[in-house]
Amino acid sequence: YGLTDFLLRYLRIRRTELPLALLAALYFFCVLCGYFFLRPVREAMGVSRGMSDLRWLFAATSAVSLGAVLAFGGVVARMNRRQFIPVAYLFVIVCLLLFSGLLIVNIMSGGGLIGSEAETLTSRLVGYTFYVWLSVINLFITSVFWAFMVDIFHFDQSKRMFPFIGIGGTLGAIMGGWSTNQVSSMTESPYLPVGLMLAGALFFGLAIVVMLTLDRMAIRLSSFYGTPMDRIAERRTGKMGGSLWEGLRAIGTSSYLLGIGAYIVLMAVSNTLIYFTQASIILENTDTLSQRVAGFAQFDMLAQIATLFTQIFITTHLIKRIGVGWTLAILPAVTMIGFTILSVWTLYGVMAIFQALHRATRYAVSRPARETLFSVVSASEKYKAKPVVDVFLYRGGDVAGAGIDSLFALLGVTLAGVATATIPLAGVWTVLSVRLSRTQAKKAVMEESHLASI
């Protein structure tokens, strides 16, 4: 009992909030575990035919993401969250079963996986389609998850509980990455991607069950977090309404949402530059799809372990001590410093450490702080505008990053030049972080005044 109280104080979670926090963490565990069974497969398929193909896949992903967020906005407008969130995950499961079936048929007919000597047109199309599909879907599944979190937890809770919830997701990512690495290292079977896809589908199915349980508990325990029961019930059962264009329109008319979008784009550009460097290293040091899957899984596992330690020992108290704005500003600093060090010591180990620290900062530090920004917007903006920011603008940043990488390669820009270019970028990024935090604080005061008047 004493240990439980100590952990609750350390994690800044109240005893009445613990059931919700544990279920939310389990939900995120299932989502990220399922995704990290699939991520190394996607990466391996993306680089199997060289870096030039990978660059145009980024452009295709950005185009598809726009159609996807508009379609999802239309679905959200016609359903409540107990309907459209399970539907979203069921769609992922159905697609994974379809991809698995296509790969099985192709292998049984004598074809090989993409990048192998027995590669067929079918295997290439399946590989590239899977890459684009998962690149869009992975942002959706996390965006929907966090939209649900900011819908059931209020502003104060989000600052305290999101770091703990993030730990659940990181443990899921570690389990998925470790399991994928172990299986990929032990077999060269052409059916490896099929098995990993089916494992991912299983965890997305579990995520649906946990999500519905969490939603019911949030309604039952609503009195503990100070939100009137009628408002909770309305968010649970009422349809969002509106049109599929409402998300784009909301961003275009809100300087606050535009600012969040700009932060996402800058983050995506930096991540893409790191991603291409990592992909080049793995492509140069592996020969088969299974080896590439194992290589990407190793990078993922290293990054997630760094993320877990950051979440446990740093993030839990970071937002409270320095505020949302300066917490967001840590990622620009890590990006600038990391590229500077990499330009001096261009080594595989340095790249692995930089990549792990950058992703740990993104997921353990920046992500919880960034998601609190959405705790002060309307339910419609959470489920319609947020996917546009998290999916379309993020993938737009990917395309911009890929274009910058191609331009640097064409001009022969060294890593020292890249490091120099990140200095003004980090400056703008930091100013934006602080301004977003100030605007959020003003919106939170307005929301509290509105709730008090009800």
Side-chain angles (χ1 to χ4, degrees):
Y1 185 81
L3 179 60
T4 301
D5 285 342
F6 170 77
L7 289 175
L8 289 175
R9 286 196 302 270
Y10 180 77
L11 296 171
R12 301 175 60 233
I13 297 175
R14 296 165 188 163
R15 183 172 289 275
T16 54
E17 298 169 334
L18 185 58
L20 286 177
L22 290 174
L23 267 182
L26 178 60
Y27 176 18
F28 204 21
F29 175 94
C30 294
V31 169
L32 286 195
C33 187
Y35 169 60
F36 273 83
F37 273 107
L38 308 175
R39 178 186 165 95
V41 178
R42 179 196 69 173
E43 312 294 37
M45 288 181 170
V47 303
S48 289
R49 292 181 57 84
M51 296 298 295
S52 59
D53 282 14
L54 184 60
R55 290 188 176 92
W56 72 256
L57 283 172
F58 268 58
T61 298
S62 179
V64 172
S65 67
L66 177 59
V69 294
L70 292 177
F72 185 71
V75 171
V76 169
R78 290 162 177 79
M79 296 182 179
N80 60 59
R81 77 184 187 198
R82 286 182 59 82
Q83 295 172 327
F84 66 73
I85 294 179
V87 165
Y89 290 118
L90 280 173
F91 172 76
V92 172
I93 294 171
V94 170
C95 288
L96 287 172
L97 295 177
L98 179 61
F99 280 121
S100 300
L102 291 173
L103 285 177
I104 291 173
V105 170
N106 181 65
I107 294 169
M108 292 181 66
S109 62
L113 296 173
I114 184 172
S116 67
E117 294 181 358
E119 176 192 297
T120 63
L121 178 60
T122 299
S123 58
R124 189 185 307 175
L125 289 174
V126 170
Y128 284 167
T129 303
F130 180 76
Y131 184 95
V132 173
W133 173 81
L134 187 60
S135 296
V136 174
I137 290 299
N138 81 303
L139 296 179
F140 261 111
I141 58 179
T142 52
S143 179
V144 168
F145 169 81
W146 285 112
F148 183 43
M149 292 301 102
V150 296
D151 204 17
I152 64 175
F153 296 118
H154 59 62
F155 176 58
D156 175 66
Q157 285 179 312
S158 67
K159 292 190 294 183
R160 293 185 291 104
M161 298 175 66
F162 282 8
F164 173 76
I165 294 170
I167 291 174
T170 302
L171 290 173
I174 291 174
M175 177 178 172
W178 179 83
S179 301
T180 301
N181 181 39
Q182 293 299 307
V183 173
S184 303
S185 300
M186 292 187 296
T187 180
E188 290 289 341
S189 171
Y191 291 99
L192 172 65
V194 174
L196 295 174
M197 289 178 186
L198 294 178
L202 172 63
F203 278 95
F204 285 122
L206 293 174
I208 295 175
V209 176
V210 178
M211 175 265 159
L212 293 174
T213 305
L214 175 61
D215 187 63
R216 287 193 294 270
M217 183 177 291
I219 300 297
R220 193 165 63 249
L221 301 179
S222 60
S223 60
F224 286 126
Y225 42 87
T227 303
M229 176 65 107
D230 57 342
R231 288 176 59 84
I232 292 289
E234 179 182 355
R235 284 187 301 196
R236 176 189 178 189
T237 59
K239 296 179 181 180
M240 296 292 173
S243 68
L244 56 86
W245 299 99
E246 196 168 334
L248 286 173
R249 189 160 48 243
I251 293 173
T253 56
S254 169
S255 59
Y256 182 64
L257 292 174
L258 278 174
I260 299 175
Y263 185 94
I264 293 288
V265 169
L266 291 170
M267 181 184 69
V269 169
S270 69
N271 181 53
T272 300
L273 293 174
I274 298 171
Y275 175 81
F276 273 100
T277 305
Q278 171 193 323
S280 297
I281 291 173
I282 292 179
L283 185 61
E284 291 172 0
N285 290 274
T286 56
D287 298 314
T288 66
L289 183 70
S290 295
Q291 290 174 348
R292 294 183 192 113
V293 170
F296 279 108
Q298 288 172 351
F299 267 87
D300 286 342
M301 192 166 57
L302 176 63
Q304 293 304 325
I305 291 173
T307 301
L308 180 62
F309 276 97
T310 304
Q311 287 170 321
I312 293 175
F313 297 108
I314 299 176
T315 312
T316 304
H317 301 277
L318 191 64
I319 298 177
K320 178 184 178 182
R321 291 182 182 234
I322 68 174
V324 173
W326 291 111
T327 301
L328 289 171
I330 292 175
L331 184 58
V334 169
T335 302
M336 181 180 64
I337 295 170
F339 272 115
T340 301
I341 295 175
L342 190 62
S343 68
V344 178
W345 293 291
T346 312
L347 303 173
Y348 183 93
V350 175
M351 179 65 230
I353 294 172
F354 176 30
Q355 184 260 8
L357 290 176
H358 190 270
R359 284 182 60 184
T361 306
R362 279 170 52 214
Y363 291 119
V365 177
S366 175
R367 186 77 194 235
R370 197 178 84 228
E371 295 303 337
T372 67
L373 297 176
F374 288 98
S375 63
V376 293
V377 302
S378 68
S380 178
E381 288 172 329
K382 289 169 187 172
Y383 290 108
K384 292 182 181 180
K386 190 175 188 299
V388 176
V389 172
D390 289 344
V391 181
F392 177 61
L393 293 184
Y394 188 102
R395 289 310 178 199
D398 281 345
V399 174
I404 293 171
D405 180 78
S406 299
L407 180 62
F408 284 167
L410 182 65
L411 298 176
V413 177
T414 63
L415 277 173
V418 176
T420 302
T422 61
I423 295 175
L425 181 75
V428 173
W429 204 353
T430 300
V431 172
L432 178 62
S433 301
V434 176
R435 288 182 65 87
L436 283 172
S437 175
R438 291 174 179 172
T439 305
Q440 178 200 42
K442 293 178 182 178
K443 285 180 171 289
V445 172
M446 294 173 59
E447 183 178 4
E448 289 177 1
S449 300
H450 175 67
L451 288 174
S453 65
I454 296 177

PDB file of all heavy atoms in Angstrom, residues 188-216:
ATOM      1  N   GLU A 188      14.282 -16.757 -42.345  1.00  0.00           N
ATOM      2  CA  GLU A 188      14.305 -16.071 -43.643  1.00  0.00           C
ATOM      3  C   GLU A 188      13.062 -16.436 -44.447  1.00  0.00           C
ATOM      4  O   GLU A 188      13.037 -16.318 -45.664  1.00  0.00           O
ATOM      5  CB  GLU A 188      15.567 -16.461 -44.423  1.00  0.00           C
ATOM      6  CG  GLU A 188      16.868 -15.908 -43.848  1.00  0.00           C
ATOM      7  CD  GLU A 188      17.012 -14.406 -44.053  1.00  0.00           C
ATOM      8  OE1 GLU A 188      16.313 -13.863 -44.929  1.00  0.00           O
ATOM      9  OE2 GLU A 188      17.802 -13.782 -43.329  1.00  0.00           O
ATOM     10  N   SER A 189      12.027 -16.910 -43.754  1.00  0.00           N
ATOM     11  CA  SER A 189      10.812 -17.363 -44.429  1.00  0.00           C
ATOM     12  C   SER A 189      10.136 -16.220 -45.182  1.00  0.00           C
ATOM     13  O   SER A 189      10.022 -15.100 -44.659  1.00  0.00           O
ATOM     14  CB  SER A 189       9.829 -17.949 -43.410  1.00  0.00           C
ATOM     15  OG  SER A 189       8.568 -18.198 -44.002  1.00  0.00           O
ATOM     16  N   PRO A 190       9.664 -16.486 -46.408  1.00  0.00           N
ATOM     17  CA  PRO A 190       8.929 -15.445 -47.146  1.00  0.00           C
ATOM     18  C   PRO A 190       7.596 -15.098 -46.482  1.00  0.00           C
ATOM     19  O   PRO A 190       6.992 -14.075 -46.802  1.00  0.00           O
ATOM     20  CB  PRO A 190       8.714 -16.081 -48.520  1.00  0.00           C
ATOM     21  CG  PRO A 190       8.795 -17.551 -48.287  1.00  0.00           C
ATOM     22  CD  PRO A 190       9.803 -17.732 -47.183  1.00  0.00           C
ATOM     23  N   TYR A 191       7.151 -15.961 -45.542  1.00  0.00           N
ATOM     24  CA  TYR A 191       5.888 -15.706 -44.856  1.00  0.00           C
ATOM     25  C   TYR A 191       6.064 -14.822 -43.613  1.00  0.00           C
ATOM     26  O   TYR A 191       5.095 -14.559 -42.899  1.00  0.00           O
ATOM     27  CB  TYR A 191       5.229 -17.030 -44.433  1.00  0.00           C
ATOM     28  CG  TYR A 191       4.727 -17.844 -45.608  1.00  0.00           C
ATOM     29  CD1 TYR A 191       5.478 -18.904 -46.105  1.00  0.00           C
ATOM     30  CD2 TYR A 191       3.518 -17.539 -46.233  1.00  0.00           C
ATOM     31  CE1 TYR A 191       5.035 -19.654 -47.191  1.00  0.00           C
ATOM     32  CE2 TYR A 191       3.058 -18.280 -47.309  1.00  0.00           C
ATOM     33  CZ  TYR A 191       3.826 -19.329 -47.788  1.00  0.00           C
ATOM     34  OH  TYR A 191       3.379 -20.060 -48.861  1.00  0.00           O
ATOM     35  N   LEU A 192       7.290 -14.360 -43.360  1.00  0.00           N
ATOM     36  CA  LEU A 192       7.547 -13.514 -42.190  1.00  0.00           C
ATOM     37  C   LEU A 192       6.648 -12.274 -42.151  1.00  0.00           C
ATOM     38  O   LEU A 192       6.017 -11.998 -41.122  1.00  0.00           O
ATOM     39  CB  LEU A 192       9.022 -13.104 -42.151  1.00  0.00           C
ATOM     40  CG  LEU A 192       9.401 -12.058 -41.096  1.00  0.00           C
ATOM     41  CD1 LEU A 192       9.210 -12.623 -39.687  1.00  0.00           C
ATOM     42  CD2 LEU A 192      10.837 -11.585 -41.299  1.00  0.00           C
ATOM     43  N   PRO A 193       6.545 -11.491 -43.246  1.00  0.00           N
ATOM     44  CA  PRO A 193       5.663 -10.314 -43.196  1.00  0.00           C
ATOM     45  C   PRO A 193       4.207 -10.669 -42.894  1.00  0.00           C
ATOM     46  O   PRO A 193       3.510  -9.914 -42.210  1.00  0.00           O
ATOM     47  CB  PRO A 193       5.807  -9.703 -44.596  1.00  0.00           C
ATOM     48  CG  PRO A 193       7.128 -10.193 -45.094  1.00  0.00           C
ATOM     49  CD  PRO A 193       7.258 -11.573 -44.533  1.00  0.00           C
ATOM     50  N   VAL A 194       3.763 -11.823 -43.389  1.00  0.00           N
ATOM     51  CA  VAL A 194       2.377 -12.243 -43.140  1.00  0.00           C
ATOM     52  C   VAL A 194       2.148 -12.453 -41.648  1.00  0.00           C
ATOM     53  O   VAL A 194       1.164 -11.973 -41.075  1.00  0.00           O
ATOM     54  CB  VAL A 194       2.061 -13.543 -43.917  1.00  0.00           C
ATOM     55  CG1 VAL A 194       0.670 -14.060 -43.540  1.00  0.00           C
ATOM     56  CG2 VAL A 194       2.146 -13.300 -45.414  1.00  0.00           C
ATOM     57  N   GLY A 195       3.064 -13.172 -41.000  1.00  0.00           N
ATOM     58  CA  GLY A 195       2.925 -13.425 -39.569  1.00  0.00           C
ATOM     59  C   GLY A 195       2.933 -12.141 -38.760  1.00  0.00           C
ATOM     60  O   GLY A 195       2.157 -11.986 -37.804  1.00  0.00           O
ATOM     61  N   LEU A 196       3.793 -11.200 -39.132  1.00  0.00           N
ATOM     62  CA  LEU A 196       3.865  -9.936 -38.408  1.00  0.00           C
ATOM     63  C   LEU A 196       2.598  -9.104 -38.607  1.00  0.00           C
ATOM     64  O   LEU A 196       2.124  -8.432 -37.684  1.00  0.00           O
ATOM     65  CB  LEU A 196       5.098  -9.149 -38.859  1.00  0.00           C
ATOM     66  CG  LEU A 196       6.450  -9.803 -38.534  1.00  0.00           C
ATOM     67  CD1 LEU A 196       7.598  -9.007 -39.149  1.00  0.00           C
ATOM     68  CD2 LEU A 196       6.645  -9.940 -37.027  1.00  0.00           C
ATOM     69  N   MET A 197       2.045  -9.141 -39.816  1.00  0.00           N
ATOM     70  CA  MET A 197       0.792  -8.418 -40.066  1.00  0.00           C
ATOM     71  C   MET A 197      -0.349  -8.989 -39.235  1.00  0.00           C
ATOM     72  O   MET A 197      -1.165  -8.243 -38.674  1.00  0.00           O
ATOM     73  CB  MET A 197       0.438  -8.491 -41.553  1.00  0.00           C
ATOM     74  CG  MET A 197       1.345  -7.669 -42.449  1.00  0.00           C
ATOM     75  SD  MET A 197       0.900  -7.868 -44.204  1.00  0.00           S
ATOM     76  CE  MET A 197       2.241  -6.953 -44.989  1.00  0.00           C
ATOM     77  N   LEU A 198      -0.428 -10.304 -39.121  1.00  0.00           N
ATOM     78  CA  LEU A 198      -1.497 -10.933 -38.341  1.00  0.00           C
ATOM     79  C   LEU A 198      -1.323 -10.632 -36.850  1.00  0.00           C
ATOM     80  O   LEU A 198      -2.313 -10.429 -36.136  1.00  0.00           O
ATOM     81  CB  LEU A 198      -1.507 -12.441 -38.584  1.00  0.00           C
ATOM     82  CG  LEU A 198      -1.873 -12.875 -40.014  1.00  0.00           C
ATOM     83  CD1 LEU A 198      -1.806 -14.386 -40.146  1.00  0.00           C
ATOM     84  CD2 LEU A 198      -3.256 -12.364 -40.412  1.00  0.00           C
ATOM     85  N   ALA A 199      -0.072 -10.585 -36.380  1.00  0.00           N
ATOM     86  CA  ALA A 199       0.170 -10.217 -34.977  1.00  0.00           C
ATOM     87  C   ALA A 199      -0.285  -8.788 -34.715  1.00  0.00           C
ATOM     88  O   ALA A 199      -0.904  -8.487 -33.684  1.00  0.00           O
ATOM     89  CB  ALA A 199       1.653 -10.378 -34.648  1.00  0.00           C
ATOM     90  N   GLY A 200       0.004  -7.883 -35.662  1.00  0.00           N
ATOM     91  CA  GLY A 200      -0.450  -6.506 -35.525  1.00  0.00           C
ATOM     92  C   GLY A 200      -1.965  -6.418 -35.486  1.00  0.00           C
ATOM     93  O   GLY A 200      -2.543  -5.678 -34.671  1.00  0.00           O
ATOM     94  N   ALA A 201      -2.644  -7.181 -36.340  1.00  0.00           N
ATOM     95  CA  ALA A 201      -4.109  -7.174 -36.370  1.00  0.00           C
ATOM     96  C   ALA A 201      -4.691  -7.628 -35.040  1.00  0.00           C
ATOM     97  O   ALA A 201      -5.696  -7.082 -34.566  1.00  0.00           O
ATOM     98  CB  ALA A 201      -4.600  -8.075 -37.498  1.00  0.00           C
ATOM     99  N   LEU A 202      -4.059  -8.616 -34.417  1.00  0.00           N
ATOM    100  CA  LEU A 202      -4.535  -9.108 -33.121  1.00  0.00           C
ATOM    101  C   LEU A 202      -4.519  -8.003 -32.071  1.00  0.00           C
ATOM    102  O   LEU A 202      -5.494  -7.823 -31.325  1.00  0.00           O
ATOM    103  CB  LEU A 202      -3.667 -10.281 -32.671  1.00  0.00           C
ATOM    104  CG  LEU A 202      -3.920 -10.797 -31.248  1.00  0.00           C
ATOM    105  CD1 LEU A 202      -5.340 -11.346 -31.118  1.00  0.00           C
ATOM    106  CD2 LEU A 202      -2.896 -11.867 -30.868  1.00  0.00           C
ATOM    107  N   PHE A 203      -3.442  -7.235 -32.012  1.00  0.00           N
ATOM    108  CA  PHE A 203      -3.343  -6.188 -30.997  1.00  0.00           C
ATOM    109  C   PHE A 203      -4.284  -5.026 -31.286  1.00  0.00           C
ATOM    110  O   PHE A 203      -4.776  -4.377 -30.347  1.00  0.00           O
ATOM    111  CB  PHE A 203      -1.895  -5.710 -30.869  1.00  0.00           C
ATOM    112  CG  PHE A 203      -1.067  -6.597 -29.992  1.00  0.00           C
ATOM    113  CD1 PHE A 203      -0.300  -7.614 -30.534  1.00  0.00           C
ATOM    114  CD2 PHE A 203      -1.078  -6.438 -28.614  1.00  0.00           C
ATOM    115  CE1 PHE A 203       0.454  -8.447 -29.725  1.00  0.00           C
ATOM    116  CE2 PHE A 203      -0.328  -7.261 -27.789  1.00  0.00           C
ATOM    117  CZ  PHE A 203       0.444  -8.271 -28.349  1.00  0.00           C
ATOM    118  N   PHE A 204      -4.569  -4.745 -32.546  1.00  0.00           N
ATOM    119  CA  PHE A 204      -5.555  -3.707 -32.844  1.00  0.00           C
ATOM    120  C   PHE A 204      -6.950  -4.160 -32.421  1.00  0.00           C
ATOM    121  O   PHE A 204      -7.775  -3.346 -32.003  1.00  0.00           O
ATOM    122  CB  PHE A 204      -5.526  -3.344 -34.329  1.00  0.00           C
ATOM    123  CG  PHE A 204      -4.342  -2.502 -34.713  1.00  0.00           C
ATOM    124  CD1 PHE A 204      -3.453  -2.931 -35.687  1.00  0.00           C
ATOM    125  CD2 PHE A 204      -4.096  -1.297 -34.086  1.00  0.00           C
ATOM    126  CE1 PHE A 204      -2.345  -2.168 -36.035  1.00  0.00           C
ATOM    127  CE2 PHE A 204      -2.998  -0.524 -34.415  1.00  0.00           C
ATOM    128  CZ  PHE A 204      -2.111  -0.960 -35.399  1.00  0.00           C
ATOM    129  N   GLY A 205      -7.206  -5.463 -32.527  1.00  0.00           N
ATOM    130  CA  GLY A 205      -8.475  -5.989 -32.034  1.00  0.00           C
ATOM    131  C   GLY A 205      -8.591  -5.821 -30.524  1.00  0.00           C
ATOM    132  O   GLY A 205      -9.652  -5.438 -30.004  1.00  0.00           O
ATOM    133  N   LEU A 206      -7.502  -6.089 -29.802  1.00  0.00           N
ATOM    134  CA  LEU A 206      -7.496  -5.886 -28.351  1.00  0.00           C
ATOM    135  C   LEU A 206      -7.682  -4.412 -28.008  1.00  0.00           C
ATOM    136  O   LEU A 206      -8.332  -4.074 -27.010  1.00  0.00           O
ATOM    137  CB  LEU A 206      -6.183  -6.403 -27.761  1.00  0.00           C
ATOM    138  CG  LEU A 206      -5.953  -7.918 -27.823  1.00  0.00           C
ATOM    139  CD1 LEU A 206      -4.547  -8.260 -27.339  1.00  0.00           C
ATOM    140  CD2 LEU A 206      -7.001  -8.654 -26.993  1.00  0.00           C
ATOM    141  N   ALA A 207      -7.128  -3.518 -28.835  1.00  0.00           N
ATOM    142  CA  ALA A 207      -7.266  -2.078 -28.589  1.00  0.00           C
ATOM    143  C   ALA A 207      -8.730  -1.653 -28.614  1.00  0.00           C
ATOM    144  O   ALA A 207      -9.143  -0.783 -27.830  1.00  0.00           O
ATOM    145  CB  ALA A 207      -6.459  -1.293 -29.624  1.00  0.00           C
ATOM    146  N   ILE A 208      -9.517  -2.242 -29.509  1.00  0.00           N
ATOM    147  CA  ILE A 208     -10.941  -1.910 -29.580  1.00  0.00           C
ATOM    148  C   ILE A 208     -11.640  -2.267 -28.270  1.00  0.00           C
ATOM    149  O   ILE A 208     -12.423  -1.484 -27.721  1.00  0.00           O
ATOM    150  CB  ILE A 208     -11.610  -2.642 -30.764  1.00  0.00           C
ATOM    151  CG1 ILE A 208     -11.042  -2.151 -32.096  1.00  0.00           C
ATOM    152  CG2 ILE A 208     -13.121  -2.445 -30.729  1.00  0.00           C
ATOM    153  CD1 ILE A 208     -11.558  -2.912 -33.298  1.00  0.00           C
ATOM    154  N   VAL A 209     -11.356  -3.472 -27.747  1.00  0.00           N
ATOM    155  CA  VAL A 209     -11.983  -3.925 -26.499  1.00  0.00           C
ATOM    156  C   VAL A 209     -11.621  -2.995 -25.345  1.00  0.00           C
ATOM    157  O   VAL A 209     -12.483  -2.575 -24.559  1.00  0.00           O
ATOM    158  CB  VAL A 209     -11.544  -5.373 -26.183  1.00  0.00           C
ATOM    159  CG1 VAL A 209     -12.121  -5.815 -24.839  1.00  0.00           C
ATOM    160  CG2 VAL A 209     -11.983  -6.322 -27.291  1.00  0.00           C
ATOM    161  N   VAL A 210     -10.340  -2.640 -25.238  1.00  0.00           N
ATOM    162  CA  VAL A 210      -9.886  -1.769 -24.141  1.00  0.00           C
ATOM    163  C   VAL A 210     -10.486  -0.379 -24.283  1.00  0.00           C
ATOM    164  O   VAL A 210     -10.899   0.242 -23.292  1.00  0.00           O
ATOM    165  CB  VAL A 210      -8.345  -1.700 -24.113  1.00  0.00           C
ATOM    166  CG1 VAL A 210      -7.880  -0.752 -23.015  1.00  0.00           C
ATOM    167  CG2 VAL A 210      -7.748  -3.083 -23.892  1.00  0.00           C
ATOM    168  N   MET A 211     -10.546   0.127 -25.510  1.00  0.00           N
ATOM    169  CA  MET A 211     -11.097   1.471 -25.731  1.00  0.00           C
ATOM    170  C   MET A 211     -12.553   1.562 -25.265  1.00  0.00           C
ATOM    171  O   MET A 211     -12.948   2.530 -24.577  1.00  0.00           O
ATOM    172  CB  MET A 211     -10.994   1.825 -27.219  1.00  0.00           C
ATOM    173  CG  MET A 211     -11.634   3.158 -27.608  1.00  0.00           C
ATOM    174  SD  MET A 211     -13.331   2.916 -28.189  1.00  0.00           S
ATOM    175  CE  MET A 211     -13.994   4.560 -27.942  1.00  0.00           C
ATOM    176  N   LEU A 212     -13.355   0.577 -25.617  1.00  0.00           N
ATOM    177  CA  LEU A 212     -14.766   0.595 -25.229  1.00  0.00           C
ATOM    178  C   LEU A 212     -14.915   0.478 -23.712  1.00  0.00           C
ATOM    179  O   LEU A 212     -15.787   1.114 -23.105  1.00  0.00           O
ATOM    180  CB  LEU A 212     -15.517  -0.538 -25.937  1.00  0.00           C
ATOM    181  CG  LEU A 212     -15.645  -0.390 -27.456  1.00  0.00           C
ATOM    182  CD1 LEU A 212     -16.266  -1.634 -28.070  1.00  0.00           C
ATOM    183  CD2 LEU A 212     -16.459   0.843 -27.821  1.00  0.00           C
ATOM    184  N   THR A 213     -14.064  -0.330 -23.076  1.00  0.00           N
ATOM    185  CA  THR A 213     -14.083  -0.452 -21.616  1.00  0.00           C
ATOM    186  C   THR A 213     -13.697   0.870 -20.964  1.00  0.00           C
ATOM    187  O   THR A 213     -14.322   1.306 -19.989  1.00  0.00           O
ATOM    188  CB  THR A 213     -13.111  -1.559 -21.164  1.00  0.00           C
ATOM    189  OG1 THR A 213     -13.429  -2.784 -21.822  1.00  0.00           O
ATOM    190  CG2 THR A 213     -13.181  -1.752 -19.659  1.00  0.00           C
ATOM    191  N   LEU A 214     -12.671   1.516 -21.499  1.00  0.00           N
ATOM    192  CA  LEU A 214     -12.227   2.811 -20.977  1.00  0.00           C
ATOM    193  C   LEU A 214     -13.320   3.862 -21.120  1.00  0.00           C
ATOM    194  O   LEU A 214     -13.537   4.672 -20.210  1.00  0.00           O
ATOM    195  CB  LEU A 214     -10.964   3.250 -21.715  1.00  0.00           C
ATOM    196  CG  LEU A 214     -10.419   4.652 -21.387  1.00  0.00           C
ATOM    197  CD1 LEU A 214     -10.055   4.754 -19.911  1.00  0.00           C
ATOM    198  CD2 LEU A 214      -9.206   4.960 -22.254  1.00  0.00           C
ATOM    199  N   ASP A 215     -14.014   3.858 -22.228  1.00  0.00           N
ATOM    200  CA  ASP A 215     -15.067   4.842 -22.459  1.00  0.00           C
ATOM    201  C   ASP A 215     -16.188   4.686 -21.441  1.00  0.00           C
ATOM    202  O   ASP A 215     -16.691   5.673 -20.883  1.00  0.00           O
ATOM    203  CB  ASP A 215     -15.606   4.690 -23.882  1.00  0.00           C
ATOM    204  CG  ASP A 215     -16.577   5.791 -24.256  1.00  0.00           C
ATOM    205  OD1 ASP A 215     -16.156   6.958 -24.296  1.00  0.00           O
ATOM    206  OD2 ASP A 215     -17.763   5.484 -24.487  1.00  0.00           O
ATOM    207  N   ARG A 216     -16.575   3.427 -21.177  1.00  0.00           N
ATOM    208  CA  ARG A 216     -17.625   3.184 -20.186  1.00  0.00           C
ATOM    209  C   ARG A 216     -17.181   3.636 -18.796  1.00  0.00           C
ATOM    210  O   ARG A 216     -17.949   4.235 -18.038  1.00  0.00           O
ATOM    211  CB  ARG A 216     -18.002   1.697 -20.163  1.00  0.00           C
ATOM    212  CG  ARG A 216     -18.800   1.239 -21.380  1.00  0.00           C
ATOM    213  CD  ARG A 216     -19.404  -0.139 -21.139  1.00  0.00           C
ATOM    214  NE  ARG A 216     -18.358  -1.154 -21.022  1.00  0.00           N
ATOM    215  CZ  ARG A 216     -17.875  -1.847 -22.044  1.00  0.00           C
ATOM    216  NH1 ARG A 216     -18.328  -1.623 -23.272  1.00  0.00           N
ATOM    217  NH2 ARG A 216     -16.940  -2.761 -21.852  1.00  0.00           N
TER     218      ARG A 216
END
